[in-house]
Amino acid sequence: MPSGLTAGHDSPGRRVTPEPSGGRAVRAGHGGRVPSGGRVVRLRRARTALSAVAAAAALALTGQATPATAAPPPSPPGASLGEAFARAAAAHDVPRDLLVAVGYGETRLDGHAGLPSQDNGYGVMHLVSNSERHTLERAARLTGTSVAELERDTGANIHGAAAVLRALADEAGLHAADRDRVDAWYPAVARYGAPGSKPTGRLYADAVYDFLGAGLHVRVAGGERVTVPPREVRPQRGPYAGTRPGASLGPAADYPSALWNPAYSGNYSAGRGSAVTTVVVHVTQGSYAGSISWFQNPDARVSAHYVVRSSDGQITQSVRESDTAWHARSANAYSVGVEHEGYVSDPAWFTDAMYRSSAALTRHLTAKYGIPRDRAHIVGHNEVPGNDHTDPGPHWDWAYYMSQVRGEEGTTGTPFPTWGTDVSVRQRPSQDSARVATLPRPTSVRVACQVHGAPVEYDGYSNDAWSYLPDHGGYVSNIFIDVPDAWLPGVPAC
């Protein structure tokens, strides 16, 4: 979708959620500045000032949900995102690592400057206000914080989410000893993310527990790193134990490997008014499970045929190809819509697993319907006539994606996100080498190989590894490749 899956924006029906003036465009990049010496100043993600949790220690240790209180006082000067998570977790007796994993699954810990997601969710913790999810309003009641502050202030947003999770845990019957065990929180997490559908709730909570199992190492604004150590997880699924994360359509499946989580019948049109001639590429402006849940909301008035997950390329189908999904206005009748989990402004969501899985789906669709594998017939939402949307945006690697769709063997490089502005690409792996190109903003690059070169020190990091970028004909320091490992996983040495 666009810079937001705005309700009714791509459908023939009424508009449910109003858009602010000028639409809901999320910026294509959070800028930085380069001082006179040409050094890169890192300002990767905008974030509002953090605020802390006000809660007595005695309340945090009781078995009762924290009652509504006055809005929490401001955090100390320089308070970090990690401190905000720790304070909110302690105040509401929610495991800190669980709270981080929920936020990471929703937004990759990016509040997007207070702009709403496709289903009207706000902030790092994606507090939602729509007809089926009311975590934003519930957070306001539980904490005494205004809705406006919960939307804009990162610390308040985390505080509110912790209060909601605690209330859901109380409703699930978790006592003090249970709350110390991360595995016992599964039903509360599922209800936080997808209250209306058990299969979608299972999708949502399984992803959170996958993050807990693998661990997290996330770079956020100001260079701070938020970490969750890996652990063995054995989630207690409770009422979700007998639920599958999606049905199988068997021989009747349009795309055999896709899960089936159908959209609400009022969010698409039965049948087709035209032959299928086009594939439209979207970005969800929200999470995978959250987008599937939104398509199941009767008030959404939008849908897509497929949704692709960022972490592993898992695909869910929500509308049959023989029916008309409401995703691209004028192109609805003759296209198949493919949504990709993530945000237009953040290339970190566009993983190699996502590109390859989506390309395999598009390759299947083009073969099935006789669609030419070119950019006239495989288009972005922003390229459809009559649309004012921006997705998939400037970070989507069309060259790589189309090479995968065509099954070209000669394509080199694995996509990785970058951070920083005006980052130099050098002729050789050294800062003394000639500059051959510049990365003006955070983007996605293809890395062919990596090599140990001249050491680079920047922003508290030191590394001698450099990546060769075939599209730019030079090397960039691995410090500016936005992954936690200094030596990139899965990339050969040059």
Side-chain angles (χ1 to χ4, degrees):
M1 286 276 144
S3 334
L5 263 170
T6 307
H9 209 79
D10 290 294
S11 73
R14 60 191 175 85
R15 178 174 293 162
V16 178
T17 305
E19 286 192 36
S21 175
R24 281 191 186 167
V26 173
R27 291 171 293 170
H30 299 296
R33 63 184 179 86
V34 179
S36 58
R39 291 181 54 191
V40 180
V41 173
R42 181 168 179 270
L43 187 56
R44 182 171 177 269
R45 295 186 178 96
R47 188 178 80 227
T48 53
L50 298 174
S51 68
V53 173
L59 282 174
L61 297 174
T62 68
Q64 303 300 316
T66 307
T69 63
S75 290
S80 69
L81 190 64
E83 291 169 342
F85 276 114
R87 291 163 67 92
H92 297 284
D93 200 12
V94 178
R96 177 265 184 194
D97 290 355
L98 181 82
L99 197 58
V100 173
V102 169
Y104 182 81
E106 289 281 15
T107 67
R108 299 297 193 265
L109 308 186
D110 186 346
H112 297 103
L115 293 169
S117 71
Q118 90 282 20
D119 53 347
N120 213 40
Y122 291 85
V124 164
M125 300 303 296
H126 197 240
L127 293 172
V128 180
S129 175
N130 64 41
S131 60
E132 288 194 347
R133 295 176 68 184
H134 305 283
T135 49
L136 180 62
E137 292 86 357
R138 190 170 193 182
R141 291 195 302 270
L142 288 169
T143 65
T145 307
S146 70
V147 165
E149 188 172 1
L150 289 165
E151 291 175 352
R152 294 191 308 267
D153 185 271
T154 298
N157 189 267
I158 296 170
H159 170 80
V164 171
L165 279 164
R166 171 61 188 276
L168 292 170
D170 288 343
E171 291 169 8
L174 268 64
H175 299 295
D178 298 321
R179 293 195 298 273
D180 291 336
R181 296 184 296 106
V182 168
D183 292 339
W185 283 79
Y186 187 100
V189 170
R191 285 187 59 203
Y192 179 92
S197 165
K198 279 191 174 180
T200 310
R202 174 79 185 256
L203 272 178
Y204 181 93
D206 279 356
V208 170
Y209 279 81
D210 285 345
F211 294 137
L212 285 169
L216 295 170
H217 195 97
V218 190
R219 183 189 286 115
V220 295
E224 179 187 358
R225 288 180 181 265
V226 178
T227 62
V228 171
R231 71 190 72 204
E232 182 180 0
V233 290
R234 296 181 178 178
Q236 298 171 217
R237 293 187 171 91
Y240 295 84
T243 301
R244 293 193 299 171
S248 172
L249 292 176
D254 288 332
Y255 190 59
S257 63
L259 302 177
W260 173 244
N261 283 286
Y264 172 67
S265 60
N267 289 338
Y268 64 90
S269 300
R272 284 278 188 180
S274 177
V276 175
T277 62
T278 305
V279 176
V280 180
V281 172
H282 300 268
V283 173
T284 60
Q285 292 301 102
S287 72
Y288 176 69
S291 300
I292 296 164
S293 178
W294 183 233
F295 295 159
Q296 295 168 340
N297 187 321
D299 285 342
R301 306 294 288 176
V302 290
S303 60
H305 293 93
Y306 294 98
V307 187
V308 186
R309 188 159 66 184
S310 170
S311 61
D312 59 1
Q314 184 185 80
I315 296 174
T316 285
Q317 184 173 6
S318 292
V319 178
R320 297 302 299 263
E321 293 168 16
S322 57
D323 292 328
T324 304
W326 295 347
H327 63 102
R329 288 185 177 172
S330 62
N332 288 344
Y334 58 84
S335 67
V336 172
V338 181
E339 288 280 358
H340 298 82
E341 180 185 28
Y343 287 81
V344 168
S345 61
D346 188 353
W349 290 87
F350 304 150
T351 63
D352 194 49
M354 170 182 278
Y355 278 123
R356 290 178 180 274
S357 177
S358 174
L361 169 62
T362 298
R363 191 162 58 248
H364 168 84
L365 293 170
T366 54
K368 182 176 182 178
Y369 295 104
I371 301 171
R373 291 173 179 166
D374 59 36
R375 288 284 284 112
H377 297 86
I378 302 169
V379 302
H381 192 180
N382 61 316
E383 297 171 312
V384 174
N387 283 272
D388 59 0
H389 296 245
T390 63
D391 59 314
H395 302 303
W396 183 259
D397 191 339
W398 276 111
Y400 183 69
Y401 184 68
M402 292 302 297
S403 73
Q404 293 296 314
V405 170
R406 298 185 186 111
E408 296 171 355
E409 296 297 329
T411 302
T412 60
T414 300
F416 285 95
T418 69
W419 65 272
T421 58
D422 291 339
V423 175
S424 296
V425 181
R426 302 289 182 177
Q427 188 176 46
R428 293 184 301 277
S430 167
Q431 289 176 292
D432 296 332
S433 180
R435 179 185 297 177
V436 297
T438 301
L439 306 179
R441 66 181 69 86
T443 186
S444 177
V445 294
R446 287 190 293 132
V447 176
C449 60
Q450 57 190 332
V451 64
H452 291 290
V456 175
E457 294 186 5
Y458 178 72
D459 198 24
Y461 304 110
S462 178
N463 191 2
D464 71 347
W466 292 72
S467 290
Y468 181 71
L469 312 182
D471 293 336
H472 299 278
Y475 295 85
V476 66
S477 169
N478 280 12
I479 284 178
F480 298 102
I481 304 294
D482 198 7
V483 297
D485 303 292
W487 189 256
L488 303 183
V491 175
C494 296

